[in-house]
Amino acid sequence: MRSARPYLIRALIDWIVDNDWTPHLLIAADVEGVVVPREHVREDRIVLNISARAVREFVCEDAGVSFDSRFGGRAFHVVLPLEAVLAVYARESGAGLAFHGSNVSGSFTSPEADSSAQPVDPKREGSSTARDEAALPTERPGGNRGRPTLTVIE
């Protein structure tokens, strides 16, 4: 059976863009095959803005995600195996999806201030499963005020 992960990633990106938000990917930079500018990696994680204005030649397929972007004015070809994608979320609202076993919860630092995302309060150890399971974050009361949060619900 084919993995649902590339379909979920593409669908979530479309939903984020349709809402006029900015899609971001939280990436585990220590996964084999990840090609990102290492100077922007913090604690083995990096957040990537994948909006149409930020990337070119975006491809999300069964093998992984790839695109061209600029980091500090320098052109770079990014390659991300699917298992390295921990979460897909909107910068403005924090709404999105975290993949099961990704140890993602809490609030994220702003991608403008820092290229990495770091959960403030990891609440559990990840467990890997053969299937791709995902959880949607809960809605925050009061709309889009304050820092975005992404919560994994089991």
Side-chain angles (χ1 to χ4, degrees):
M1 178 193 278
R2 295 175 78 155
S3 171
R5 195 173 282 215
Y7 299 97
L8 293 170
I9 291 169
R10 285 189 299 264
L12 211 27
I13 291 168
D14 288 345
W15 175 74
I16 291 168
V17 169
D18 286 350
N19 281 289
D20 293 324
W21 292 332
T22 309
H24 282 72
L25 297 178
L26 173 62
I27 303 300
D30 58 344
V31 171
E32 186 177 336
V34 170
V35 179
V36 295
R38 293 292 165 183
E39 63 270 19
H40 296 284
V41 173
R42 304 286 182 267
E43 296 182 19
D44 292 327
R45 293 194 176 179
I46 185 169
V47 171
L48 300 170
N49 175 349
I50 56 165
S51 67
R53 294 180 64 207
V55 302
R56 288 183 303 155
E57 306 296 325
F58 182 87
V59 176
C60 180
E61 54 193 10
D62 291 348
V65 176
S66 65
F67 55 87
D68 294 320
S69 191
R70 298 186 78 75
F71 294 86
R74 189 178 104 225
F76 201 91
H77 181 70
V78 175
V79 178
L80 309 167
L82 288 181
E83 60 271 11
V85 179
L86 301 177
V88 182
Y89 69 98
R91 179 190 68 207
E92 295 82 358
S93 67
L97 177 142
F99 290 97
H100 181 72
S102 62
N103 276 339
V104 177
S105 67
S107 30
F108 294 92
T109 58
S110 168
E112 287 79 29
D114 189 301
S115 294
S116 66
Q118 303 163 12
V120 171
D121 183 27
K123 296 181 182 169
R124 62 179 176 83
E125 290 296 317
S127 62
S128 60
T129 62
R131 59 196 163 133
D132 288 330
E133 293 182 10
L136 293 175
T138 56
E139 291 288 326
R140 289 192 339 234
N144 295 337
R145 289 179 254 150
R147 292 178 60 176
T149 60
L150 183 64
T151 305
V152 176
I153 303 170
E154 292 191 48

